[in-house]
Each structure stands twice: as C-alpha cells, then as structure tokens.
C-alpha cells in the first residue's frame, strides 16, 4: 500500500514540476492583437503580461477612439492568451497525474 502511495506522491510532484515548467515556457509564447486597421498592435505573453503596445500617431488625435480600440484589443488579446494558458497548463497537469481509479484523468 505505501509503495503505491509513494509512487502517487512522486507522480504528483512530477505533475507540479511540469506545470511550473509550462508556466515558465508560457512567458515566451507571444500573443498579438491588431486593431484599427493595423494602427494599434498589442503583444502579450500567454501568461497575460503585456510586452508592447504600438499606437499609430493618427490615433492620438481622438482620445476616446483610442481608449475604445485599446479596450477592445486588450480584451481580445487577454482572451487569446488565457485560452492558450489554460489549455497548456491543463495538458501539463494531466500528463503528470497518476492513474487514480475513479478520478477521470
């Protein structure tokens, strides 16, 4: 019994390590979102850290319009990054989980 428990604990530690490695790797996965016919570009990591925002000068004339474009583009970029993040972390966790009957992994 304890041998199986030790094996399961080892598998859980492996799963945790894979998740941490995946989190680190997701810092280098970049997500781009473009708005306003290419006049606004946002880049963030799959961990949802903003890396850059590029704004064409023509958008600087209308603050309200710029704010609207920023909100739309940021929300889309964050949604894309979140989807990637969740899928990758779930796959990493699942791949390292021990086979526990009845757990559905």
């Amino acid at each position: 019994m304890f041998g199986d428990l030790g094996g399961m604990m080892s598998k859980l530690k492996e799963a945790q390590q894979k998740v941490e490695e995946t989190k680190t790797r997701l810092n280098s996965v970049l997500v781009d979102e473009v708005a306003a016919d290419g006049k606004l570009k946002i880049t963030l990591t799959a961990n949802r850290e903003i890396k850059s925002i590029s704004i064409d000068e023509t958008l600087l004339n209308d603050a309200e319009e710029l704010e609207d474009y920023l909100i739309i583009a940021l929300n889309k970029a964050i949604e894309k990054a979140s989807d990637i993040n969740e899928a990758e972390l779930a796959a990493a966790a699942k791949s390292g989980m021990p086979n526990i009957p009845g757990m559905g992994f």
Side-chain angles (χ1 to χ4, degrees):
M1 174 72 178
F2 289 111
D4 291 337
L5 184 59
M8 279 195 269
M9 292 302 290
S10 175
K11 285 281 196 183
L12 287 172
K13 284 185 180 184
E14 285 178 33
Q16 184 179 16
Q17 183 178 352
K18 285 185 179 188
V19 167
E20 291 305 316
E21 289 170 358
T22 300
K23 284 181 183 178
T24 300
R25 184 179 58 78
L26 290 174
N27 282 326
S28 64
V29 175
L30 299 179
V31 175
D32 291 323
E33 184 61 38
V34 178
D37 297 326
K39 294 178 182 177
L40 173 65
K41 180 181 176 186
I42 296 171
T43 301
L44 61 147
T45 69
N47 281 328
R48 298 172 296 266
E49 179 182 331
I50 297 172
K51 289 299 197 180
S52 68
I53 298 176
S54 174
I55 303 170
D56 187 275
E57 284 186 28
T58 59
L59 292 177
L60 299 178
N61 298 327
D62 186 346
E64 190 174 320
E65 180 182 38
L66 175 58
E67 289 169 359
D68 290 342
Y69 283 132
L70 278 169
I71 290 168
I72 291 167
L74 281 167
N75 283 332
K76 284 183 180 179
I78 290 168
E79 182 179 352
K80 286 180 184 178
S82 293
D83 290 346
I84 293 168
N85 185 287
E86 290 170 14
E88 292 287 326
L89 290 178
K94 184 177 180 181
S95 71
M97 290 297 287
N99 187 12
I100 302 171
M103 292 297 288
F105 293 113

